Amino acid sequence: AQTVTQSQPEMSVQEAETVTLSCTYDTSESNYYLFWYKQPPSRQMILVIRQEAYKQQNATENRFSVNFQKAAKSFSLKISDSQLGDTAMYFCAFMTPPWGRALVFGKGTRLSVIA
Amino acid sequence: AAGVIQSPRHLIKEKRETATLKCYPIPRHDTVYWYQQGPGQDPQFLISFYEKMQSDKGSIPDRFSAQQFSDYHSELNMSSLELGDSALYFCASSSGAEDTEAFFGQGTRLTVV
């Protein structure tokens, strides 16, 4: 069974600084997807970024980027120029294709951005 | 852009009652997922459907059932409700044909009293 581990229950960062959230996973599959979802206080689940395992290039979405280390089974999220609106719970998630299979979530990291 | 629509947004039920949660996926999405998120917890996968057939099954209690209809909307039926069923229930949708990831609705907050 696939597992996702987020070892940092809580983190804080000063506004405009950079922060990195860690995620490791365990799987015997070679083809899979990895995601970071953000859940602000409204509790809406918002997709931040997506990475396909077969792609060596790390995904980037504006201020959000990942460091995907397939051999180490590591998938960290870097947030640059942190903003107050980035305050949220961040979940790392894993899925094997095809679409329709379950997303497996980590326990989450609560990020607070401080002014 | 259209998003996943869930109804109702809030629901209060008594123990042993039944509840029905509805989910309307993003247009052209053929896959629907249901998740349960307790307070302070990560979302737990319940069940998913692809093209109206069950695709994957997680920790869904036998008291719960779900289906996807011909118009791709889905309903989660919950019977003999227990206090422990109080949670936020998310529906998400994706498109296998268009290779899009799961987009989540705003959730239905169920409170069992």
Side-chain angles (χ1 to χ4, degrees), chain A residues 6 33 35 37 39 41-47 50 52 54 89 91 94-95 98-108 110, chain B residues 31 33 35 37-45 48-50 55-56 88 90 94-96 99-106 109:
Chain A
Q6 294 179 248
Y33 297 91
F35 308 89
Y37 281 89
Q39 189 174 41
S42 67
R43 301 200 73 185
Q44 170 81 49
M45 290 290 285
I46 303 165
L47 178 69
R50 154 185 168 171
E52 289 87 344
Y54 65 85
M89 183 73 93
F91 290 100
F94 171 100
M95 198 206 82
W99 296 109
R101 302 280 294 277
L103 266 174
V104 178
F105 286 89
K107 295 297 182 186
R110 184 175 302 281
Chain B
T31 306
Y33 314 75
Y35 286 85
Q37 187 179 29
Q41 311 235 329
D42 55 297
Q44 295 295 312
F45 173 72
S48 61
F49 295 88
Y50 168 68
S55 177
D56 200 359
L88 189 59
F90 284 108
S94 68
S95 169
D99 190 32
T100 60
E101 56 276 358
F103 290 89
F104 283 74
Q106 292 188 293
R109 183 176 299 281

Side-chain angles (χ1 to χ4, degrees), chain A residues 9-74:
Chain A
E10 293 188 26
M11 295 188 72
S12 62
V13 63
Q14 293 285 336
E15 200 174 6
E17 296 293 306
T18 295
V19 64
T20 299
L21 279 57
S22 302
C23 172
T24 58
Y25 58 94
D26 187 25
T27 183
S28 58
E29 303 285 343
S30 59
N31 186 25
Y32 49 86
Y33 297 91
L34 292 161
F35 308 89
W36 279 97
Y37 281 89
K38 167 185 176 181
Q39 189 174 41
S42 67
R43 301 200 73 185
Q44 170 81 49
M45 290 290 285
I46 303 165
L47 178 69
V48 175
I49 203 162
R50 154 185 168 171
Q51 174 82 43
E52 289 87 344
Y54 65 85
K55 291 186 178 178
Q56 294 192 352
Q57 186 171 5
N58 290 323
T60 299
E61 287 287 343
N62 300 314
R63 298 182 295 106
F64 299 87
S65 61
V66 298
N67 183 4
F68 174 48
Q69 301 289 328
K70 191 172 183 179
K73 296 181 181 175
S74 170

